[in-house]
Amino acid sequence: MKNILVPIGSSKNALSNLQYAVDFAQAFGAKLYVVQVYNVYTKAGTMIKVDYILERESRAFLNDLVSKIDTKNVEVIVKTLKGKLIDTLELACKVGDIDLIIVEPRTNSIKEEVFLGKTSGKIIKQTQIPALIVPEGYTFKPVSNVLLAMKSAIIKKDHVLDPLKMVKANFKAVVNLLLVKTPYYNEGDFELNDDLKSVVENITETENATTFQGVLEHYQSHNPDMLCVVRRKRGFFTKKWEKNVILKKDFSSNIPVLVLSELK
């Protein structure tokens, strides 16, 4: 893992999330790109250089934020980017050869019942960039036990397991696989290919209405310090993908959640 990107919002948790990102990047010897995306809506005849003002204020905000954390020996690169959030982040990740994007759950949402706010929800829902959701106020610690929750082990895309492999190798972590048989189960969903077999140590099979319910049932017995899930149309978040905001009553986590891109 060489390049990590952290999009910064306006939440009170931004400082804590950035410090976690620095600590995580240090563990991998990775570069850290700290970015803020802004968009400009101008009216005809506007005399003020709105673009310049927003870019200047955004950069000043990021530099001030970085000055308040311990960057250790991590190379931190500050970028302000103009454009639509998802398109701009996807382009930045492609150009910067980004391995992982680290997001905070609520960003600028102030509602206590919200787990993923509109901004973070968009990033998780509308991109295929591997992401790590870090709980508010969470302090970095080496990962020792990962719970990988899946409803189907069928993998058709190359390299989708790479972020998990990097975490496993770097921290010498144990990866336990939880296969959840849901009403959408298809024949062959629990057949593991050699690549997945090489990653996991232990396999548990369960039957639940949703993958998340399976995680809740087996969470304590596995006691993970990182949860790993997969993006898919009918995967871990299922109907929760219909809206960008995800409520705590539908899903929440007090440990980091690694979100892989779609397997198929």
Side-chain angles (χ1 to χ4, degrees):
M1 199 170 295
K2 297 179 179 179
N3 300 302
I4 298 172
L5 184 143
V6 186
I8 300 295
S10 56
S11 81
K12 295 179 181 178
N13 186 57
L15 202 62
S16 171
N17 187 66
L18 183 54
Q19 186 63 64
Y20 179 96
V22 166
D23 295 343
F24 191 87
Q26 183 190 38
F28 284 89
K31 288 182 183 179
L32 187 67
Y33 292 85
V34 180
V35 305
Q36 188 167 64
V37 180
Y38 68 94
N39 208 343
V40 179
Y41 301 93
T42 60
K43 294 181 181 179
T46 300
M47 299 298 292
I48 302 175
K49 295 181 179 178
V50 180
D51 250 17
Y52 171 74
I53 294 172
L54 287 179
E55 194 279 336
R56 183 187 63 191
E57 291 183 351
S58 180
R59 182 173 292 277
F61 172 75
L62 292 180
N63 285 331
D64 180 62
L65 203 63
V66 171
S67 73
K68 294 177 180 177
I69 63 169
D70 182 1
T71 57
K72 301 179 178 179
N73 60 342
V74 175
E75 183 179 355
V76 178
I77 301 167
V78 171
K79 294 283 186 181
T80 56
L81 307 172
K82 177 189 171 186
K84 294 181 179 180
L85 178 68
I86 299 304
D87 293 343
T88 304
L89 285 179
E90 286 185 329
L91 179 59
C93 287
K94 185 176 181 179
V95 172
D97 194 21
I98 299 299
D99 299 298
L100 184 73
I101 183 169
I102 295 181
V103 300
E104 52 181 317
R106 294 193 301 172
T107 55
N108 58 358
S109 174
I110 59 173
K111 296 179 180 179
E112 287 299 325
E113 68 271 19
V114 169
F115 174 67
L116 286 183
K118 288 183 179 180
T119 303
S120 50
K122 276 184 180 180
I123 293 170
I124 297 299
K125 174 185 174 180
Q126 297 181 22
T127 76
Q128 283 299 316
I129 307 163
L132 184 64
I133 307 169
V134 181
E136 295 177 65
Y138 193 87
T139 302
F140 172 81
K141 61 180 180 180
V143 179
S144 61
N145 186 351
V146 181
L147 179 60
L148 170 60
M150 309 171 76
K151 61 172 286 187
S152 174
I154 298 173
I155 300 174
K156 295 183 178 180
K157 290 184 178 180
D158 295 331
H159 306 298
V160 290
L161 293 176
D162 284 359
L164 178 59
K165 289 179 180 179
M166 292 174 190
V167 168
K168 174 183 170 69
N170 190 73
F171 297 112
K172 296 179 174 57
V174 173
V175 179
N176 296 305
L177 174 61
L178 179 66
L179 291 170
V180 185
K181 186 176 182 180
T182 72
Y184 302 100
Y185 177 84
N186 295 309
E187 196 65 34
D189 276 346
F190 283 7
E191 295 178 9
L192 278 64
N193 66 11
D194 292 339
D195 195 29
L196 184 55
K197 285 180 181 177
S198 69
V199 175
V200 302
E201 274 78 14
N202 305 295
I203 303 171
T204 302
E205 294 185 9
T206 184
E207 190 167 341
N208 298 90
T210 66
T211 315
F212 181 46
Q213 287 184 16
V215 170
L216 291 177
E217 182 180 325
H218 293 272
Y219 184 88
Q220 288 189 337
S221 61
H222 286 88
N223 192 31
D225 46 29
M226 178 176 284
L227 176 64
C228 182
V229 298
V230 177
R231 288 182 177 94
R232 58 162 34 104
K233 291 178 181 178
R234 295 212 63 87
F236 185 76
F237 291 97
T238 316
K239 290 184 179 179
K240 299 171 185 64
W241 283 151
E242 293 173 4
K243 295 182 179 180
N244 290 324
V245 172
I246 294 178
L247 302 178
K248 287 182 178 178
K249 69 180 180 66
D250 294 320
F251 171 75
S252 65
S253 175
N254 60 359
I255 60 173
V257 181
L258 178 63
V259 185
L260 304 177
S261 57
E262 290 184 2
L263 304 182
K264 299 179 182 179

